[in-house]
Amino acid sequence: MLEKLAKQTAVYGISTIVVRFLSYLLTPFYTRVFGPETYGIVTDVYALIPFALVLLSMGMESSYFRFAAKAEADGERVGKAKDSPEVKAQKRRLFASCWGMSFYAAILFALLVIGGRSTVAGWMGESYVAHPEYIVWVALIILFDVWGMMPFSRLREQGRPGMFVLLKALNVSTNVALAFLFGFLGLYDSTFGVGWVFVANLAASLLTWLVLLTTVDRTLPKVDWALMSVVLVYSLPLLVSGIAGTAGEFLDRQMIKYLVPEGAMAQLGIYGAITKIAVVMMLFTQMYRLAAEPFFLANYRKSDFVQMNAAAMKYFLMASMLIFLVIALFKEFFALIVGRSFREGIFILPVVLGANVLSGVWLNLSFWYKREERTGLAIRITGAGVLAALVANWLLVPRWGYYGAAWGRFLSEVVMVGVSYALMRRYYPIPYDLKRMGEFVGVALALFLLGEWAAERIAQPVLHYGLNVLLLAGYAAYLVWREKIDVKAMAKAVLKRG
């Protein structure tokens, strides 16, 4: 079964990396077109958009996966196949209702924001007061992105990663193409300026949503309130925890904007650019989530779920620490991705990477309570994380600026992992191999610190980076030896499938 998860992760992973790489081109482009202060607007807006998406999706994605699996299980109990007309009709009704909830919520949100754009611009700061039209474009981006979330989830539930990735690629490639076109035309130098970033995004979101409509089999967003009364009991705790969890991710940006005494938007721009460099780690976590969420929320026996989740956590951590070393040991090379005026912040990259690793650990720790429909526990976890982020950022950001924000996010992730683990041990014990996983983390951190120590003492870059290559290769060899991984057999299996 883990082989199935690995295969689905690879399918989503390779394609997601290709798609995100296209989007990643915007970071070096925008950090060379805009200065840190203007890029701070981009960082600010694209930290707030995910928060709005979580709010308006209302936990419907996870709910859809869980209740679609239950519909199949109910059908099997009465002798109906997964693809029987009765099961299909039940899942279609579920999809229409989940889609309808988020669909109409997005309309209400867009109307309120656009109607009160001047007020919203005042809340967001001086940069927006001069251009309240930015608020309109961003509200429309959110509208179409929310409208597309459930159709995308349906493609995942149906096991159609090819179509899923194709449409994601359409979105990103349209956005990137228009962004470069607007730059070629010199539009970023106009009075509308950074607003053209949002125009490109809106065009991509609209086009993607129109194409997505061809995949819904003429299903309309229509809420079945009897069904939703059951689904909402499951989804509302996920909504609250999702808001809190996403708040933890954008809170650092807002703290920089409001707590840094001088040059806040410039610091926000630098922080946003450096966190973009850590996208490889986030890509891995995202591609894993895309495969793992429907996989672990299916109806496995408890013994199978516990065994698979324990093994998946270990292998996830192995891969994450390897990625951590790749980026952290060669952070000076990765710094070249962003414009020269942003590179001064590269020293925070290892902290950001560490927070991203912990985010993936927390993801693995969330599957058991989603499976057991005890989603109310998520509120405790994310609430603790938000509280930790508020306290840490309040104390650190005024003193250290964006470096304090990086540590604030890291400490927030530490707290969420700790609370998640404590709840798991109490309610649903999973035998994670803590000793082995701790060893993987400890060895990786020791090698990183050795590389940092050597960097201060070795003047010749060739020798310095040559040592880092040896450290990275040594860690990979250590993982193979420690887990007794048959590399030759793995290579043969990959070549055979190819």
Side-chain angles (χ1 to χ4, degrees), residues 4-203:
K4 177 183 176 183
L5 175 59
K7 189 184 298 183
Q8 290 181 356
T9 301
V11 171
Y12 281 114
I14 294 171
S15 51
T16 299
I17 287 172
V18 172
V19 170
R20 282 301 184 93
F21 177 74
L22 292 174
S23 178
Y24 200 50
L25 293 175
L26 292 177
T27 299
F29 177 63
Y30 285 150
T31 56
R32 286 166 173 81
V33 170
F34 304 119
E37 186 171 351
T38 304
Y39 189 71
I41 298 174
V42 178
T43 299
D44 189 25
V45 166
Y46 283 99
L48 291 170
I49 285 178
F51 179 76
L53 296 182
V54 168
L55 173 67
L56 298 171
S57 66
M58 296 181 287
M60 289 295 144
E61 290 183 292
S62 293
S63 299
Y64 176 64
F65 293 135
R66 184 59 185 150
F67 282 89
K70 289 184 70 173
E72 293 179 354
D74 292 342
E76 287 178 357
R77 277 195 290 270
V78 295
K80 302 292 184 182
K82 293 181 179 181
D83 58 351
S84 66
E86 293 83 0
V87 172
K88 283 185 176 180
Q90 190 173 349
K91 289 168 67 174
R92 186 187 185 98
R93 183 165 60 98
L94 173 67
F95 168 68
S97 293
C98 291
W99 190 20
M101 288 295 293
S102 58
F103 188 93
Y104 296 115
I107 293 176
L108 178 61
F109 172 85
L111 290 174
L112 290 173
V113 172
I114 293 172
R117 56 188 176 275
S118 297
T119 302
V120 175
W123 292 340
M124 293 185 66
E126 294 180 5
S127 301
Y128 304 92
V129 171
H131 293 281
E133 66 273 18
Y134 292 171
I135 307 300
V136 175
W137 294 105
V138 173
L140 292 175
I141 290 170
I142 292 169
L143 176 74
F144 287 108
D145 283 353
V146 172
W147 282 0
M149 289 178 76
M150 285 310 304
F152 270 122
S153 296
R154 185 169 183 261
L155 291 175
R156 289 167 59 196
E157 187 274 327
Q158 292 177 332
R160 299 171 65 185
M163 179 60 72
F164 177 93
V165 172
L166 182 64
L167 292 177
K168 288 290 184 182
L170 173 66
N171 180 284
V172 172
S173 58
T174 302
N175 192 1
V176 172
L178 288 175
F180 280 101
L181 175 62
F182 293 162
F184 176 77
L185 296 175
L187 297 179
Y188 298 122
D189 295 325
S190 66
T191 55
F192 191 54
V194 74
W196 289 104
V197 173
F198 311 134
V199 172
N201 193 334
L202 175 59

Side-chain angles (χ1 to χ4, degrees), residues 78-381:
V78 295
K80 302 292 184 182
K82 293 181 179 181
D83 58 351
S84 66
E86 293 83 0
V87 172
K88 283 185 176 180
Q90 190 173 349
K91 289 168 67 174
R92 186 187 185 98
R93 183 165 60 98
L94 173 67
F95 168 68
S97 293
C98 291
W99 190 20
M101 288 295 293
S102 58
F103 188 93
Y104 296 115
I107 293 176
L108 178 61
F109 172 85
L111 290 174
L112 290 173
V113 172
I114 293 172
R117 56 188 176 275
S118 297
T119 302
V120 175
W123 292 340
M124 293 185 66
E126 294 180 5
S127 301
Y128 304 92
V129 171
H131 293 281
E133 66 273 18
Y134 292 171
I135 307 300
V136 175
W137 294 105
V138 173
L140 292 175
I141 290 170
I142 292 169
L143 176 74
F144 287 108
D145 283 353
V146 172
W147 282 0
M149 289 178 76
M150 285 310 304
F152 270 122
S153 296
R154 185 169 183 261
L155 291 175
R156 289 167 59 196
E157 187 274 327
Q158 292 177 332
R160 299 171 65 185
M163 179 60 72
F164 177 93
V165 172
L166 182 64
L167 292 177
K168 288 290 184 182
L170 173 66
N171 180 284
V172 172
S173 58
T174 302
N175 192 1
V176 172
L178 288 175
F180 280 101
L181 175 62
F182 293 162
F184 176 77
L185 296 175
L187 297 179
Y188 298 122
D189 295 325
S190 66
T191 55
F192 191 54
V194 74
W196 289 104
V197 173
F198 311 134
V199 172
N201 193 334
L202 175 59
S205 296
L206 173 59
L207 176 61
T208 303
W209 180 71
L210 291 173
V211 179
L212 262 173
L213 291 180
T214 65
T215 71
V216 300
D217 300 326
R218 298 183 180 179
T219 305
L220 297 176
K222 182 179 179 182
V223 180
D224 183 324
W225 289 107
L227 174 61
M228 290 312 297
S229 65
V230 178
V231 173
L232 285 170
V233 172
Y234 179 88
S235 68
L236 287 180
L238 291 179
L239 167 62
V240 176
S241 68
I243 291 172
T246 311
E249 293 183 7
F250 85 84
L251 208 56
D252 48 3
R253 274 80 165 174
Q254 301 308 304
M255 289 293 201
I256 292 172
K257 188 167 73 170
Y258 294 112
L259 294 182
V260 172
E262 295 181 5
M265 291 305 289
Q267 287 213 30
L268 182 58
I270 293 171
Y271 182 73
I274 299 302
T275 55
K276 284 286 188 181
I277 297 176
V279 73
V280 176
M281 184 70 73
M282 292 303 292
L283 277 178
F284 174 66
T285 302
Q286 183 181 10
M287 73 185 194
Y288 176 78
R289 182 185 68 82
L290 290 173
E293 193 167 45
F295 177 83
F296 280 121
L297 295 186
N299 284 289
Y300 295 116
R301 291 179 303 174
K302 180 177 179 179
S303 59
D304 291 335
F305 172 85
V306 166
Q307 180 183 6
M308 289 186 297
N309 190 258
M313 174 74 90
K314 182 176 67 173
Y315 291 116
F316 173 87
L317 198 60
M318 289 168 60
S320 294
M321 295 313 298
L322 192 61
I323 295 170
F324 170 86
L325 283 178
V326 169
I327 303 174
L329 288 175
F330 300 95
K331 60 182 181 295
E332 290 80 9
F333 285 115
F334 283 93
L336 300 176
I337 292 170
V338 299
R340 189 179 301 276
S341 56
F342 295 82
R343 295 172 195 166
E344 65 179 63
I346 195 62
F347 68 96
I348 71 169
L349 184 58
V351 182
V352 175
L353 289 170
N356 289 348
V357 172
L358 290 171
S359 178
V361 172
W362 175 59
L363 171 68
N364 274 283
L365 288 167
S366 73
F367 292 129
W368 74 266
Y369 62 74
K370 290 180 180 179
R371 166 189 163 85
E372 294 299 299
E373 300 180 16
R374 302 193 64 171
T375 50
L377 295 175
I379 299 174
R380 301 189 203 177
I381 298 166

